[in-house]
Amino acid sequence: MFSASGHVTGDVGTHPKGKGPYGHLDLAGNVWEWVEDIYDPYAYMRPGAAQGRGGTCPEVLVALAELRSQGKKGFTGSNPIPTECEHVLRGGAFNYAGPGLRSSNRVHHPGRFHLVMSGFRCARDE
């Protein structure tokens, strides 16, 4: 979601026609959403994948070391494989190209990073 200038975040709820089936807004295109998950390159192949559970930090570090030992690069083909456990960001942000703006899109950064294009979602169970 872009503001009028396209260079900053837009106000929450600016595009109500794009709401999800449960009434949630702004899942993609405003800011990348920090999530609790540790980035795990093998998350969808792990035994807990059907329950939404990826690997633990020690398991992820083993997987990352394995990928580095094979000379692999990150998703873009040029970024390095991390050497620490990083957190997942989902959805895409105002600075990202349109085709990548989807709630299933995931990238990763260390939790200590302060990114103007990232945020989090407050949610509750009823």
Side-chain angles (χ1 to χ4, degrees), residues 25-86:
L25 297 168
D26 308 323
L27 286 181
N30 203 14
V31 296
W32 287 97
E33 181 180 341
W34 282 108
V35 298
E36 184 178 8
D37 301 353
I38 294 171
Y39 176 75
D40 180 358
Y42 299 151
Y44 299 112
M45 298 184 295
R46 301 250 185 220
Q51 293 78 36
R53 289 190 314 268
T56 64
C57 186
E59 291 170 329
V60 168
L61 291 173
V62 169
L64 295 172
E66 177 183 304
L67 292 172
R68 283 193 307 279
S69 74
Q70 296 170 4
K72 302 284 185 176
K73 295 289 184 183
F75 179 75
T76 65
S78 61
N79 54 324
I81 301 292
T83 57
E84 63 184 294
C85 290
E86 297 184 343

